[in-house]
Amino acid sequence: AAPSGGSGAAAGSMAALGLDAKSPLSLMVASVERQLAEGPRKTSSAEKQKAIDVLAVKQSIVRAALVRAFEDSEQGAAIRSEALERAYDLSKDETGCLLIKLLLNSTEALRAQACSWEDLRASEPTDMTVDQIFPGETYYTPVVGADSVSMQVVGLEIPARLDGSSVYQLNLREAYHFSAVALEIGGALDVRVQKLQAGAKLWVGFEFNTVQAEAMESIREFLGDLPPTLPVRQLALASFAVDERPEWLGKNLMQNRIRNDYEVSVLGIYPAETKSLMDIVWFPKPDQMLGSGDRLLVLHRDLRRLKEGPAAASATSDKTNFAERFVAALCVRDRSAEVRPGVNLVVDLAKDRHGCHVIQEALRCIPPSLKTMLVGRLLERPDVLLQEVIKSQHGIHVVRECLVQAYSRCFSPAADCDQVAETFLAIVEGEAGIRPMMSTSSAPPVPLPPQFLGASG
């Protein structure tokens, strides 16, 4: 249910965490709680908001409040410092959990995520019948620039069965012939789409020249049915000359780390020999090579990032510094002992209903060496890991994220990726009686018993 205590409840919540009610962090949280308390109420039982919708609204409000707070560098530093002092306790609180998750990202990343359709120079939505939607339709937009184009994006309401699914796992391009452009939740836009949320609207762009019948079937498979109409917008794009970054020439998108270092999604590429819209490479793959004369098609708000270079050193430093201190507080024994003597804080958060989200976020966004440090603490005692995390309804989500990171080779050194996966497999096989716990036997694998497949936990 949506919190109803207003600023008084927020003050009490912060006091319970040991924070001064007049501190910058407490004042910011109080502001968030007031906005939620003053929001529209639904009284009919048939119209009550789902818990997930309440959380989505709260997340967008916390993000906006944090971005505003960080406009004042001193206030931002104070909030970051307070959050680090109480990172463990905040991680186990609903609002505190959202705050820590956001702080694990850089301030620049927060601004990149929080935007409006006006920022993106998009048209107002138009409801179109599905037979009027031509997948991958593009137009020249000379009012924006001589070489600028706009692309058509379609809004799809995410069904409950896809709640929590990651864009990476769904492989949208191969499975549905479209790519994610933005996620709209409670009026806020996230243009760095990672995970889907039921009830939110995913705005997608289809590959150019996708056959309409094929596109309609993809929509049907994604949504579960084919609605008579869908919202459509025209999204104007900016172009950036690859020659402005000579170091990019002769390398592909992944090697140039445009998404990671510049926090920019490349939506299309004008090849040097472009003669018409038909030649544009839409939603290029990571191995797409860049050459002299090529131009990248990006969101207008991202053009500055490409021109100015990677995110400001201060933002990157702040993010890394916060992540390093956060992980140290959880993993370094003499520091974690100050918070909860004798308790493995990583395991404790992994099995907590709010803390598990913080651990998952850390595994997604902190540097590889810190990910290895975090998962190392989690794997210290296989018996504890099995009983308290793998068999926990919250901890199992952390396990899944560990495996996704291992599969994506995101731990450092890379050899640790195989070790993480093998450790989890050995624990489950040990519980199934297939091999002794953590055995290194090279005997061929035996199938898991049927009762283990799909079982809770």
Side-chain angles (χ1 to χ4, degrees), residues 124-146:
E124 290 297 316
T126 301
D127 286 332
M128 297 179 65
T129 59
V130 291
D131 61 334
Q132 291 179 311
I133 297 174
F134 295 95
E137 191 161 39
T138 54
Y139 309 90
Y140 279 115
T141 49
V143 68
V144 176

Side-chain angles (χ1 to χ4, degrees), residues 429 434 441-447:
E429 289 183 339
I434 292 175
S441 171
S442 59
V446 178

